[in-house]
């Protein structure tokens, strides 16, 4: 199982009745696997805050609930988590949060352990798939035993790495009876101040628990070096420093102080190996332990080789890079509808405030179609802010995906209407949450199990929020899209354009590909500037189309002024030119 699959199995074995989350790499597969088990109701929420609220309500109702997200999603859900720490739980409540060291698919790096400290909730860190299953089961027990939400923190290598797992059976957990208790669950200031005393007492109880819990263990080997570590870093330490004694921490928040002090007293030197922030290092030093300074990177992922080099250990063997492989720069897919929209935005020389999604790739050459990208939903507020600055004469346009619009774009549009903005917002509706692997969302009307769900009426919603006009365009029709864009950016009201066409990866029945007539091609490069991976230049500078890649969307035909791109037969019979 992968770590994500193991977490899903662990939640099911623990008797969880509800799973809810928002897709985000590397956490997405947890819920996609949990939904396959019987006895668990799963659903995608429009954002992580809503997901945390749903899971919290399920817990209040007396059942065990799992809520899933990636690290940046916890920022959205933090408002809920920090108060759930005060209210506590009825049924076990577990947050699965996956961090992304090295930012393989994220806009920033974060260390979720910091949220654990801030919210004063326990954080468990599995080191492999087996532990991912076992720790998830344990998290529900800890949650109910100490009346607290629990975070299970994965990182990319744990989420997506696979290992052998010994699975167990499901524990059927009886629903805890709901008992009205306003002093515990209504966090008005007077009640919250009382609950804060309970939180402080719980902190001490959890710290004492950590010093005896099975998830924390000392592995005694050579006494010359003792390494304190957790998560995936434990695997690197074992490979790079096989002779070192290791204190492996599965529960890193709160820190098991007595266990650490005992371990440190038995070794000559103490070092800490951890990814991202120096969470353990600072807190172990605060215990008065002389932690050895090790030259490890503070950002990105570690590896066995990096750990070995930092400690002067014998170098580890590694595979040599293979030369001559073709470069694979990140690009919008062949036939992606967003390409047509960015082409039109370039024609009107728009300043584009962008958002989180695969359309962020539109910022890369040759499209160069985006000026900013910060976080989910930021594009709309930032477009309004740029208008307020008044320093840009070119049209300012916000672009946002359909799922992202449902996630956190609605309030931005509402604010623009409230503030009497005359800006333009474009919702890129490709009928799916594409970047994370085609999950359902409230706009496309697909439930997590693939069944039909109610789809919101984008036009009606945008008009209800205060948009002066809502128009829908097919971004594959370049002229029509450009005309609407020119009209709406010149309008004296808040306008929404819905750029609607399905993600190219959803279309299984493609049109025949196109090819380039070499005699008509003038080498002008108009088609190449679309940035389609199927189009390149040959050794003479003429355009050439890879007919095995072309999906026949026809955007390149529309930009060629010399009729040099022509439709041809099945791709198996053709080259890219003729």
């Amino acid at each position: 199982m992968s770590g994500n699959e193991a977490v899903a199995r662990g939640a099911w074995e623990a008797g969880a009745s509800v799973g809810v989350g928002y897709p985000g790499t590397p956490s997405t597969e947890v819920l996609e696997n949990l939904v396959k088990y019987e006895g668990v109701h799963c659903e995608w929420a429009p954002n992580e805050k809503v997901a945390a609220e749903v899971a919290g309500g399920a817990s209040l109702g007396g059942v065990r609930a799992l809520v899933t997200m990636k690290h940046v999603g916890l920022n959205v859900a933090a408002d809920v988590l920090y108060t759930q720490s005060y209210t506590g739980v009825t049924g076990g409540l577990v947050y699965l949060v996956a961090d992304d060291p090295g930012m393989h698919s994220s806009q920033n790096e974060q260390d979720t352990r910091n949220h654990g400290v801030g919210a004063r909730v326990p954080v468990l860190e599995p080191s492999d798939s087996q532990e991912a299953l076992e720790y998830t089961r344990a998290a529900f027990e800890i949650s109910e035993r100490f009346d607290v939400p629990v975070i299970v923190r994965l990182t990319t290598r744990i989420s997506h790495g696979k290992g052998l797992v010994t699975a167990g059976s499901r524990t059927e957990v009886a629903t805890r009876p709901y008992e009205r208790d306003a002093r515990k669950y209504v966090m008005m200031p007077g009640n919250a101040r009382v609950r804060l005393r309970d939180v402080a007492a719980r902190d001490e109880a959890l710290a004492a628990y950590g010093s005896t819990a099975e998830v924390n263990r000392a592995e005694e080997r050579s006494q010359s070096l003792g390494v304190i570590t957790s998560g995936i870093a434990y695997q690197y330490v074992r490979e790079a420093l096989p002779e070192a004694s290791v204190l492996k921490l599965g529960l890193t928040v709160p820190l098991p102080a007595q266990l650490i002090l005992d371990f440190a007293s038995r070794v000559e030197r103490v070092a800490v190996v951890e990814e991202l922030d120096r969470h353990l290092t600072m807190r172990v030093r605060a215990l008065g332990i002389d932690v050895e300074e090790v030259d490890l990177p503070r950002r990105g992922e570690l590896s066995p080789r990096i750990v070995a080099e930092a400690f002067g250990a014998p170098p580890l063997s590694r595979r040599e890079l293979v030369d001559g492989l073709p470069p694979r720069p990140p690009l919008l897919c062949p036939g992606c509808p967003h390409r047509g929209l960015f082409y039109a935005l370039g024609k009107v020389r728009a300043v584009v405030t962008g958002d989180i999604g695969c359309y962020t790739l539109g910022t890369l050459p040759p499209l160069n179609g985006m000026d900013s990208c910060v976080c989910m939903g930021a594009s709309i507020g930032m477009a309004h802010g740029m208008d307020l600055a008044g320093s840009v004469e070119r049209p300012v346009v916000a672009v946002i995906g359909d799922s992202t619009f449902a996630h956190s774009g609605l309030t931005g549009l509402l604010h623009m209407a409230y503030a009497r903005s005359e800006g333009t917002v474009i919702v890129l509706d490709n009928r799916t949450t594409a970047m994370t692997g085609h999950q359902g969302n409230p706009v496309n009307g697909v439930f997590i199990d693939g069944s039909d769900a109610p789809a919101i009426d984008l036009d009606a919603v945008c008009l209800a929020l205060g948009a002066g006009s809502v128009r829908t365009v097919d971004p594959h029709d370049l002229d029509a899209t450009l005309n609407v864009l020119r009209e709406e950016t010149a309008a004296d009201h808040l306008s929404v354009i819905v750029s609607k066409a399905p993600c190219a990866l959803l279309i299984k029945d493609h049109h025949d590909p196109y090819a380039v007539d070499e005699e008509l091609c003038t080498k002008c490069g108009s088609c190449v500037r679309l940035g389609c991976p199927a189009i390149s230049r040959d050794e003479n500078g003429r355009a050439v189309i890879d007919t095995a890649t072309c999906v026949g969307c026809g955007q390149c035909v529309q930009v060629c002024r010399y009729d040099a791109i022509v439709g041809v037969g099945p791709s198996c019979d053709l080259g890219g030119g003729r």
Side-chain angles (χ1 to χ4, degrees):
M1 288 184 182
S2 70
N4 285 345
E5 291 170 329
V7 167
R9 178 76 189 190
W12 179 78
E13 290 185 8
S17 298
V18 172
V20 57
Y22 185 80
T25 306
S27 70
T28 308
E29 296 84 4
V30 173
L31 218 56
E32 291 181 330
N33 281 279
L34 185 59
V35 72
K36 299 174 184 175
Y37 291 101
E38 293 184 357
V40 189
H41 171 84
C42 292
E43 57 190 35
W44 292 123
N47 65 35
E48 295 84 356
K49 181 176 183 290
V50 173
E53 292 160 351
V54 172
S59 169
L60 178 61
V63 301
R64 292 184 168 183
L66 178 74
V67 55
T68 71
M69 61 197 70
K70 66 183 296 183
H71 64 284
V72 287
L74 187 54
N75 299 332
V76 181
D79 202 15
V80 184
L81 173 66
Y82 277 59
T83 301
Q84 284 175 338
S85 173
Y86 279 41
T87 66
V89 305
T90 303
L93 176 57
V94 174
Y95 280 64
L96 180 282
V97 185
D99 287 358
D100 185 19
M103 294 176 282
H104 298 286
S105 58
S106 307
Q107 68 269 38
N108 63 41
E109 273 188 347
Q110 286 178 208
D111 192 325
T112 288
R113 295 176 297 182
N114 294 318
H115 270 305
V117 173
R120 301 171 78 165
V121 301
V123 177
L124 290 164
E125 293 189 71
S127 293
D128 56 28
S129 295
Q130 181 68 51
E131 288 187 350
L133 187 156
E134 293 173 355
Y135 285 16
T136 302
R137 289 195 63 143
F140 283 100
E141 299 294 334
I142 295 171
S143 175
E144 293 179 356
R145 176 177 172 181
F146 293 96
D147 192 19
V148 63
V150 177
I151 295 174
V152 175
R153 178 208 185 212
L154 303 188
T155 53
T156 304
R157 299 298 160 185
I158 301 294
S159 287
H160 292 162
K162 291 204 171 188
L164 294 175
V165 171
T166 301
S169 56
R170 179 172 169 87
T171 300
E172 294 299 337
V173 181
T175 301
R176 295 188 167 195
Y178 171 70
E179 296 180 3
R180 189 171 188 273
D181 187 349
R183 288 186 297 179
K184 185 173 187 286
Y185 285 106
V186 179
M187 283 301 97
M188 62 175 62
N191 291 342
R193 283 192 285 269
V194 174
R195 287 296 299 173
L196 183 56
R197 292 200 294 268
D198 297 331
V199 171
R202 186 183 69 204
D203 288 345
E204 295 180 9
L206 278 165
Y209 166 79
S211 289
T212 59
E214 292 182 359
V215 295
N216 296 327
R217 69 170 185 263
E219 299 176 356
E220 307 287 348
R221 300 184 186 86
S222 169
Q223 302 303 299
S224 62
L225 174 63
V227 179
I228 301 172
T229 186
S230 66
I232 189 62
Y234 164 77
Q235 305 289 359
Y236 302 152
V237 169
R238 290 294 295 119
E239 186 171 347
L241 308 169
E243 302 301 323
S245 291
V246 174
L247 178 58
K248 179 186 180 302
L249 298 179
L251 179 65
T252 51
V253 179
L255 215 56
Q258 191 57 53
L259 186 67
I260 294 171
L261 289 166
D262 292 345
F263 176 77
S265 70
R266 297 195 298 269
V267 296
E268 298 172 14
R269 299 153 50 209
V270 174
V272 173
V273 176
E274 58 186 328
E275 277 186 339
L276 298 183
D277 292 344
R278 306 186 84 189
H279 171 85
L280 296 176
T281 303
M282 291 190 298
R283 287 163 178 80
V284 171
R285 282 182 171 155
L287 296 173
I289 296 172
D290 183 17
V291 176
E292 184 173 309
E293 191 64 39
V294 183
D295 187 20
L296 288 167
R298 298 185 182 184
R299 293 298 168 206
E301 293 185 297
L302 299 180
S303 69
R305 180 178 59 81
I306 291 173
V307 174
E309 289 177 350
F311 283 86
L316 300 172
S317 61
R318 58 179 173 179
R319 288 179 294 181
E320 297 298 326
L321 294 175
V322 177
D323 294 329
L325 293 176
R328 297 183 62 191
L331 288 169
L332 296 172
C333 298
C336 176
H338 303 331
R339 183 173 288 105
L341 177 70
F342 282 116
Y343 170 83
L345 288 167
K347 285 292 182 183
V348 300
R349 298 183 66 249
V351 173
V352 179
T353 56
D355 224 295
I356 306 295
C358 54
Y359 48 90
T360 310
L361 296 173
T363 196
L364 299 173
L367 292 171
N368 300 310
M370 196 175 287
D371 293 81
S372 71
C373 177
V374 178
C375 63
M376 297 284 280
S379 61
I380 299 177
M382 291 190 67
H384 177 56
M386 287 201 71
D387 273 338
L388 293 178
S391 57
V392 178
E393 295 184 357
R394 294 150 57 192
V396 179
V397 176
V399 298
I400 186 168
D402 50 349
S403 181
T404 313
F405 183 66
H407 180 285
S408 47
L410 293 165
T411 47
L413 182 63
L414 178 65
H415 178 70
M416 288 185 78
Y418 168 67
R420 299 192 182 96
S421 173
E422 297 179 356
T424 303
V425 175
I426 302 177
V427 180
L428 292 83
D429 179 5
N430 63 354
R431 314 309 300 154
T432 190
T433 310
M435 191 174 193
T436 49
H438 292 168
Q439 286 74 36
N441 63 62
V443 178
N444 73 350
V446 177
F447 205 60
I448 190 170
D449 61 1
S451 61
D452 291 338
I456 66 169
D457 184 333
L458 265 184
D459 289 19
V461 168
C462 293
L463 290 170
L465 288 174
S469 67
V470 182
R471 299 173 69 178
T472 298
V473 299
D474 176 357
H476 291 301
D477 187 336
L478 302 186
D479 287 341
T481 300
L482 182 57
N483 289 336
V484 169
L485 186 59
R486 283 173 170 153
E487 291 170 7
E488 294 303 325
T489 54
D492 57 358
H493 58 246
L494 174 61
S495 61
V496 174
I497 300 173
V498 180
S499 176
K500 187 173 183 176
C503 169
L505 299 180
L506 292 178
I507 301 174
K508 305 304 180 186
D509 186 17
H510 294 298
H511 297 295
D512 283 342
Y514 289 92
V516 178
D517 188 322
E518 296 177 355
E519 294 181 0
L520 296 178
C521 179
T522 64
K523 310 178 187 179
C524 71
S526 295
C527 57
V528 178
R529 286 193 288 275
L530 281 172
C532 177
I535 306 175
S536 60
R537 293 181 187 269
D538 65 13
E539 63 276 9
N540 297 314
R542 294 188 180 90
V544 61
I545 295 177
D546 178 0
T547 53
T549 305
C550 176
V551 298
C553 73
Q555 292 181 14
C556 56
V557 179
Q558 299 174 61
V559 301
C560 180
R561 291 170 292 172
Y562 306 100
D563 298 326
I565 298 178
V566 294
V568 290
S571 59
C572 58
D573 299 332
L574 297 166
R578 73 173 194 178

